[in-house]
Amino acid sequence: MKRLLVLGILLSALCSLSASWYIGGEAGYNHSFVSSATRFPSTEMKGFSGFDLLFIAGYELTDCISFESGIRYSMKNMHYSKEDVDNLTVMHNFLELPLSVSFSFGSDRVRGFVGGGGYIGIRFLQAVAGRTMLGSESLENMTSVPNSSYVFTFIDFNSGDNLFDAGLEAYAGVSYFLPSENNTEIYLKARYQHSLTSLSKGQKDNVDTYIDALSVDIGVRVGV
């Protein structure tokens, strides 16, 4: 603990006081990593592509230390398959509230940054798209469709679903400051989210499923 305190003091000494607010936004691609043990034989769930949208509000304490939060929409998808019965993309839609601290370094024009923190959120919508067979019981609450038909449908949540979302995240990136009076910067960032909550409540008939995500985002921040 003392070492961390000393490190924080040293880092602060290397930075000049800034004390300014900024807002911004970012969007990008994510890829999910699914950890689950299904109760159905010959069934596979694996990660799939999705996307993120984020509104940012932050406070720059010094020219290299800042605190950031915002509201993020994240679609984290997974691929579900069961022999020749189902071949589906399951789309989980989240609203998340991240909170992080970051440290930046570099020149006045080009800077790198690293950071991390946590997030909480809620899963508010889920849907499936793909091909399925009549009588398949692999996804609860899904409407029966004709044999070997393409389907897109929203799935109602049930009592076994956990809608609360929480986890940890870490990121790194590079930013470029435009020649402007309000410190406008554009940046490229890679972020990894580690989920601490299951999609189910862990009841007897439910299987714990965790979704981590690796994202690559492009964003802009503007001083206010």
Side-chain angles (χ1 to χ4, degrees):
M1 185 65 184
K2 290 182 178 180
R3 292 181 179 179
L4 292 176
L5 181 59
V6 172
L7 178 60
I9 294 174
L10 290 175
L11 292 176
S12 299
L14 295 175
C15 307
S16 60
L17 187 64
S18 176
S20 61
W21 293 90
Y22 61 85
I23 59 173
E26 64 184 55
Y29 161 90
N30 71 49
H31 185 84
S32 299
F33 300 90
V34 179
S35 174
S36 179
T38 72
R39 65 180 184 275
F40 301 105
S42 304
T43 298
E44 181 182 28
M45 286 190 290
K46 58 183 180 181
F48 203 67
S49 302
F51 66 92
D52 301 311
L53 295 171
L54 173 64
F55 168 77
I56 301 166
Y59 181 73
E60 192 175 72
L61 180 64
T62 71
D63 61 359
C64 56
I65 299 176
S66 62
F67 300 91
E68 190 171 280
S69 186
I71 299 177
R72 177 167 59 220
Y73 165 73
S74 182
M75 177 185 283
K76 299 175 185 177
N77 300 332
M78 64 184 187
H79 183 262
Y80 180 98
S81 61
K82 180 182 179 183
E83 296 182 334
D84 296 326
V85 178
D86 293 325
N87 187 17
L88 301 166
T89 299
V90 186
M91 292 163 279
H92 299 287
N93 297 266
F94 297 86
L95 280 179
E96 298 173 343
L97 180 67
L99 179 62
S100 63
V101 57
S102 65
F103 175 75
S104 65
F105 50 89
S107 66
D108 291 340
R109 190 70 69 193
V110 179
R111 298 183 67 84
F113 59 89
V114 294
Y119 66 93
I120 59 173
I122 185 171
R123 180 164 52 120
F124 68 95
L125 183 69
Q126 60 181 358
V128 295
R131 305 195 71 84
T132 188
M133 300 284 285
L134 179 66
S136 169
E137 298 178 353
S138 55
L139 286 174
E140 295 183 50
N141 303 328
M142 199 177 99
T143 305
S144 296
V145 295
N147 287 351
S148 190
S149 294
Y150 180 86
V151 62
F152 176 86
T153 185
F154 295 101
I155 304 177
D156 294 332
F157 295 112
N158 59 47
S159 60
D161 288 321
N162 178 28
L163 306 186
F164 176 72
D165 181 34
L168 304 174
E169 61 182 45
Y171 55 84
V174 60
S175 63
Y176 175 76
F177 284 82
L178 301 176
S180 62
E181 295 181 357
N182 56 357
N183 290 327
T184 301
E185 63 175 305
I186 56 176
Y187 61 90
L188 178 67
K189 177 169 71 175
R191 180 184 66 252
Y192 188 84
Q193 287 182 294
H194 175 65
S195 176
L196 299 176
T197 57
S198 171
L199 298 181
S200 66
K201 294 181 179 178
Q203 298 172 351
K204 181 178 179 181
D205 294 331
N206 298 117
V207 175
D208 284 330
T209 301
Y210 297 86
I211 300 182
D212 294 355
L214 176 64
S215 305
V216 178
D217 298 320
I218 296 176
V220 60
R221 286 189 284 251
V222 180
V224 294

